[in-house]
Every structure is written in structure tokens, then in C-alpha cells.
Amino acid sequence: MGLQDVIQALVTPQLEAFAIAVIIVIAILYLISVVWVIRDSYLRGANPIVWGLIALIPFIGAFTYAMLRPPMLLSDRDEQDLDFTLKQRELLKYGECANCGYPVERDYLMCPQCGTQLKNECPSCGRPLNPEWKVCPYCCTKVH
């Protein structure tokens, strides 16, 4: 009995079917990984064509993409930028006292910490006015 006879005895139809099934599963996983790389790179703002070509290198391409891909989806980046902009706008409502540095709101007339006058008051409507204003923008009263 030769080596070829031993191999034929070991390779049964069930083993052949199992080997074919494993190869099909690996091929499907490979195709899914290529599709995932292309889709994910598109969603993250990377070049999907370039990454798709790199992903064609079996399994190494998808691994390379997973290691080097942009950290955030475009939608997450846009949401983060919007959140940052909203926080900046919220901070613009506040300032700080030129005398002591205490945080003050934009419409404060005096600093609650040190008592420094921050703005003038309109004699007509009582709203806070910047010192350089000549007219109250709220009631159109001339300021001296």
C-alpha cells in the first residue's frame, strides 16, 4: 500500500464536503470583509476605491484598513462639530470681569464679586449698554 492509497483512504466524501464548506465560508468572509471596508471607508470620509483595492489583498487588506481607518464616522464628526459650536455659543453669553476675572453674564451691570461697574444702564429702559454706544438699541434713547 503506497502513500497514494493511504491518502485516498483518508479522503472520504464527508471530508471533501467539509473542506469545500470551509473554503466557501472563507470565501464568503473574504467578500464580506471587502464590502465592509468599502462601505466603512465611505461612511468615514476615506477614499472607498483605494481602500477597496487594498482590501482585495486577502484578509491583510481588511486588517490594514481596520488599523488605519479614520477614527470617526462623518456623521459623528458632524455631530461633534455641532456640539462644539453650540458650547461656544453658550460660552459667548458669558464674559469675565476686567478687574477681578470673575465670570459674569453679558447683561450684568456690575460684577457680583468685586462691584466694578461693567456696563452703563439705559436711563429709559434700564437695559445694559456698552460704554461706546451712543444710542440704546432696545428703546432708541440717546445716551450721553
Side-chain angles (χ1 to χ4, degrees):
M1 197 148 87
L3 182 60
Q4 201 170 30
D5 294 332
V6 172
I7 291 174
Q8 283 180 350
L10 289 175
V11 178
T12 62
Q14 293 86 1
L15 185 59
E16 284 181 10
F18 178 75
I20 291 171
V22 167
I23 291 171
I24 289 172
V25 167
I26 290 173
I28 289 172
L29 288 175
Y30 168 70
L31 291 175
I32 289 173
S33 71
V34 171
V35 170
W36 173 78
V37 167
I38 292 169
R39 183 176 180 278
D40 193 67
S41 63
Y42 174 77
L43 292 174
R44 291 176 185 271
N47 190 335
I49 295 171
V50 171
W51 280 112
L53 291 173
I54 292 171
L56 289 175
I57 303 169
F59 302 105
I60 294 172
F63 178 75
T64 302
Y65 173 74
M67 297 304 291
L68 300 176
R69 69 185 182 163
M72 279 193 280
L73 297 174
L74 287 176
S75 60
D76 292 339
R77 195 176 326 151
D78 291 343
E79 186 177 335
Q80 189 179 43
D81 290 344
L82 179 62
D83 188 43
F84 180 74
T85 302
L86 290 174
K87 286 181 180 176
Q88 273 186 325
R89 284 188 184 170
E90 190 66 30
L91 287 175
L92 287 176
K93 292 181 183 176
Y94 302 96
E96 59 183 36
C97 174
N99 185 43
C100 68
Y102 189 79
V104 294
E105 291 186 22
R106 190 184 312 174
D107 59 348
Y108 281 5
L109 298 175
M110 296 189 104
C111 173
Q113 179 74 19
C114 68
T116 301
Q117 183 173 356
L118 302 172
K119 295 189 177 187
N120 298 326
E121 183 178 7
C122 175
S124 179
C125 67
R127 295 188 101 168
L129 304 174
N130 286 340
E132 64 271 3
W133 290 352
K134 305 283 186 231
V135 176
C136 174
Y138 305 106
C139 68
C140 300
T141 303
K142 289 193 178 204
V143 181
H144 307 296

